[in-house]
Amino acid sequence: MTAVAEQAPTYDCRADFADELAALARADERIVAVCNDSVGSSNLMAFREEFPDRLVNVGIAEQDMVGVAAGLANAGFIPFVSAAAPFLTGRALEQIKADIAYTHRHVVLCGQSPGMAYGELGPTHHSIEDLSWLRAVPGLGIVVPADPAETRAAVRWAAASGTPTYLRIPRFKVPAVTPSDTAFTIGRATCLTDGTDVTVIAVGTMVSRAMEAAKLLADEGISARVLNMASVEPLDTEAVVAAAQETGGIVTAEEGLLSGGLGAAVARVVAEQCPVPFRMLGVPAFAPTGSTAFLLEHFGLTAQGIAAAARRTLGRA
Amino acid sequence: MTATLEAAAPLRADGPAADAYRRRNARLRAASPDEAAAELAQISTAVRRDILTTIQAAGMGHVGGDLSVTDLLVTALWGALRVEPADPGAPLRDRFVLSKGHCAAALYSTLASCGFFPRERLTGFMAPLSPLNGHPARLKVPGVETNTGPLGHGFPVATGCALGARIRGEDWRTLVVLGDGEMQEGSNWEAAMTAAHYGLSNLTAVVDRNRLQQGARTEDTKTLEPLNEKWASFGWEVRVIDGHDHRAIKQAYAPSTTGRPVAVIANTVKGKGVSFMEDRVEWHHKVPTDEQVALALRELGR
Ligand SMILES: Cc1ncc(C[n+]2csc(CCOP(=O)(O)OP(=O)(O)O)c2C)c(N)n1
């Protein structure tokens, strides 16, 4: 038995989301929150306390929620729509398309508890399809922060962006991986660990696991680059091409469906511009029941799983 | 690992329990209204106890809504509908849909009481790989007609069931139980119009009117009142009852005589039966401690 490694503290990013939103609301009267009986699950109790008139709770009515947000944008507000990711994205998909993206409304759609954060509640409550669905909506920015600092930076960016955006806020606890003064730039990946043999491109809860995988690989003499692709749409194409050319192999990792998510976005660039050995890690089908940690393990979405995929990509399995 | 493998085993009818259900159900149908009500109340108490221990074992669940809907569920499956726990797919069975799918623990406990699957399996609620996940899944649990959990799905599906029976010329019925907060979903009002348009007198929609939703009271979140008039104006026959009075529930579940679909507005109490949970919003999905479960079971002592 080796000594237990010191555990880094981990964070539920909903708290940082809510805190940053309140800070923005203090500075800008146009910021409003819109939700669906989700004040508690979105961590908006303090926001409601401070800005009772600027929190609109439409009740259990997601299509209404997104439509109302579009109308508030029309009236000059900057709505942050906050709801459980599966219902916000799936239930209101056509509103997101027609009322927000095609209409180019500055509305920020905040998907709370995405991926398999609601593990035990089952596939109806898992949000593994959101990236696939929303990537199919032209003109919608898709941002998946990896930790508290990046969540705050993404909230600030989204408030100032003037464009429709989907923000995927992790609930499953993640360690801090970016500096506390991190800035978010749409369309830009950040390189968290440089390397020359293979690149792991990850988002959200998978980023810290990718960094751990890089450490495992380093112990075997494999130099892995880790890219945090927080901007899924638009994708940092240049970073993908450079990774392919400079490291010769790519692995993607996401807490989401393999069809149509981050991996699919990267695959398109790789296939068209820089074919190299390539592997996608994600969720292949409706998940069984179990805690988030159990399900991540079940689907190989772990540091070990990522390292194994990297080895296979290098032909060293 | 054995717990997980056990949790993963498929659910099948509990033969002896299903036989017992058939006999007791026949007696219940023949009993006087008062006798039947007393017996249904007894079953409800047993189901409430199972709900509490099931949630205790899982460490998760929606206890408030479970206890609110128990009498409506028990009366449906024991006192009103024709279901066959040993043969859950029998084509001419009555269809039961729990649209407020977060109250899966109440549904599972009731289904187990009927013998759809062994009662011991309730301890696997939400365990890794368990078929009893937090929201009912048709392919995993016998007796579940359709997957629910995202609110606003069960009622349109139930309307389709009723329409299907009508088109086939068959005389089985469909009964769907909705949350009152759930009535804020537009899809429900679309279904209400469809059912009335087709005059689906073989459909009963029951609203568990406990006046609470996830974060607050329904009327403080988004006004539902005047709820009865809304249903009536949508073309439904409306029956308003005390949703914990088994005799009244059984009566309200009687088929329509007006040719219109029937809406039962069941006035209920969230957390019913456990004094410290009753009408308290925080018990929507708070998990009781072991002591609180013990106290609750004492209150529910028979
Ligand atoms: C489409 C959708 N939006 C939000 C939720 C989250 N949610 C689960 S239960 C619940 C409250 C339901 O209230 P009600 O229907 O009154 O049920 P009850 O109070 O009887 O438990 C909410 C908002 C959900 N399950 N589905």
Side-chain angles (χ1 to χ4, degrees):
Chain A
M1 285 295 282
T2 50
V4 179
E6 202 181 306
Q7 289 288 312
T10 54
Y11 305 91
D12 175 344
C13 295
R14 288 178 304 171
D16 300 88
F17 157 78
D19 207 48
E20 198 60 43
L21 187 64
L24 287 170
R26 257 167 240 136
D28 186 340
E29 290 189 339
R30 295 172 301 163
I31 304 272
V32 292
V34 186
C35 70
N36 66 333
D37 192 16
S38 55
V39 177
S41 52
S42 296
N43 226 55
L44 291 173
M45 291 87 73
F47 187 99
R48 183 176 58 186
E49 192 104 324
E50 190 173 348
F51 308 104
D53 298 337
R54 285 157 67 186
L55 182 129
V56 180
N57 182 358
V58 299
I60 309 169
E62 293 72 21
Q63 302 182 66
D64 189 25
M65 171 178 74
V66 174
V68 164
L72 286 164
N74 169 293
F77 289 98
I78 303 173
F80 276 68
V81 178
S82 181
F87 311 132
L88 164 58
T89 62
R91 200 56 169 277
L93 188 54
E94 196 181 73
Q95 279 76 12
I96 292 173
K97 170 187 166 179
D99 309 342
I100 306 292
Y102 185 41
T103 321
H104 201 74
R105 286 297 179 198
H106 182 196
V107 171
V108 186
L109 304 161
C110 307
Q112 304 281 350
S113 308
M116 298 175 293
Y118 287 128
E120 295 88 347
L121 298 189
T124 55
H125 284 55
H126 298 164
S127 187
I128 56 172
E129 306 87 351
D130 54 348
L131 298 180
S132 317
W133 285 336
L134 296 183
R135 278 192 59 240
V137 177
L140 182 72
I142 302 179
V143 178
V144 185
D147 73 351
E150 194 168 43
T151 299
R152 286 176 179 272
V155 168
R156 281 193 299 273
W157 173 83
S161 70
T163 60
T165 303
Y166 176 61
L167 251 184
R168 196 189 207 230
I169 320 277
R171 173 202 191 112
F172 183 67
K173 289 191 164 187
V174 286
V177 290
T178 64
S180 60
D181 62 348
T182 199
F184 173 79
T185 312
I186 193 82
R188 281 281 156 268
T190 44
C191 178
L192 296 178
T193 309
D194 206 359
T196 51
D197 295 333
V198 64
T199 298
V200 181
I201 301 179
V203 287
T205 51
M206 287 301 113
V207 173
S208 63
R209 288 160 183 242
M211 289 167 71
E212 266 179 71
K215 281 191 205 126
L216 296 176
L217 292 166
D219 291 345
E220 304 163 22
I222 298 172
S223 162
R225 177 179 299 182
V226 176
L227 289 184
N228 173 14
M229 192 61 79
S231 172
V232 171
E233 177 64 45
L235 194 75
D236 190 342
T237 316
E238 274 172 37
V240 174
V241 173
Q245 286 167 350
E246 291 161 23
T247 72
I250 290 181
V251 173
T252 62
E254 63 198 300
E255 190 184 334
L257 200 65
L258 285 169
S259 314
L262 166 79
V266 174
R268 177 172 159 196
V269 176
V270 171
E272 283 184 352
Q273 302 192 36
C274 49
V276 289
F278 178 75
R279 285 202 145 63
M280 282 164 58
L281 294 177
V283 183
F286 287 126
T289 298
S291 68
T292 314
F294 172 85
L295 293 176
L296 291 175
E297 194 82 30
H298 181 83
F299 290 117
L301 294 169
T302 55
Q304 287 74 14
I306 295 169
R311 276 184 223 110
R312 281 199 299 277
T313 305
L314 285 165
R316 293 209 213 160
Chain B
M1 224 48 226
T2 46
T4 299
L5 290 178
E6 213 173 282
L11 296 174
R12 305 239 183 283
D14 177 343
D19 286 345
Y21 170 83
R22 206 176 301 119
R23 288 193 302 273
R24 195 174 181 187
N25 187 241
R27 281 206 313 276
L28 256 165
R29 285 172 184 284
S32 73
D34 283 343
E35 278 167 1
E39 190 147 353
L40 288 168
Q42 240 179 46
I43 299 170
S44 289
T45 300
V47 167
R48 281 197 167 87
R49 296 172 66 90
D50 281 350
I51 290 168
L52 284 159
T53 50
T54 297
I55 286 176
Q56 181 182 32
M60 271 173 284
H62 290 85
V63 68
D66 287 333
L67 296 174
S68 146
V69 81
T70 305
D71 301 315
L72 301 174
L73 276 172
V74 165
T75 308
L77 287 167
W78 279 91
L81 301 179
R82 291 182 186 277
V83 293
E84 193 59 70
D87 182 14
L92 299 183
R93 70 191 179 280
D94 288 338
R95 272 38 168 202
F96 176 79
V97 173
L98 179 66
S99 198
K100 44 172 261 182
H102 56 285
C103 294
L107 178 61
Y108 298 159
S109 300
T110 308
L111 290 173
S113 77
C114 302
F116 280 94
F117 58 85
R119 208 175 136 241
E120 303 78 65
R121 294 294 301 278
L122 290 172
T123 52
F125 184 43
M126 291 202 253
L129 306 182
S130 174
L132 295 177
N133 80 31
H135 295 85
R138 176 179 105 81
L139 298 178
K140 297 178 180 176
V141 188
V144 170
E145 297 286 352
T146 190
N147 297 7
T148 52
L151 296 163
H153 282 251
F155 186 14
V157 175
T159 300
C161 292
L163 195 50
R166 164 72 57 82
I167 294 167
R168 297 177 71 96
E170 294 169 355
D171 69 355
W172 47 271
R173 323 169 43 198
T174 301
L175 188 142
V176 54
V177 175
L178 295 134
D180 51 0
E182 186 182 10
M183 289 310 303
Q184 291 161 353
E185 287 285 2
S187 53
N188 291 322
W189 298 102
E190 296 173 22
M193 289 173 79
T194 303
H197 177 81
Y198 282 99
L200 296 178
S201 52
N202 56 353
L203 178 64
T204 299
V206 184
V207 180
D208 182 8
R209 185 72 173 115
N210 57 34
R211 295 178 179 267
L212 290 175
Q213 53 191 95
Q214 180 169 272
R217 311 196 77 79
T218 54
E219 301 311 292
D220 291 340
T221 306
K222 181 141 111 179
T223 313
L224 292 168
E225 294 297 338
L227 190 57
N228 312 346
E229 282 87 341
K230 280 180 183 148
W231 280 95
S233 72
F234 270 61
W236 288 61
E237 179 187 336
V238 180
R239 301 174 182 172
V240 181
I241 57 163
D242 170 351
H244 299 303
D245 175 344
H246 292 88
R247 193 178 160 152
I249 303 170
K250 197 169 168 203
Q251 245 170 18
Y253 283 179
S256 164
T257 51
T258 57
R260 285 182 284 156
V262 174
V264 177
I265 311 295
N267 289 308
T268 55
V269 176
K270 208 157 164 173
K272 174 72 180 179
V274 177
S275 58
F276 55 90
M277 293 184 184
E278 287 191 354
D279 201 34
R280 306 279 299 254
V281 71
E282 66 266 29
W283 285 103
H284 178 71
H285 51 31
K286 195 165 118 168
V287 178
T289 62
D290 288 350
E291 280 119 68
Q292 285 170 325
V293 171
L295 189 59
L297 290 175
R298 237 173 295 141
E299 289 190 11
L300 289 168
R302 39 195 94 210

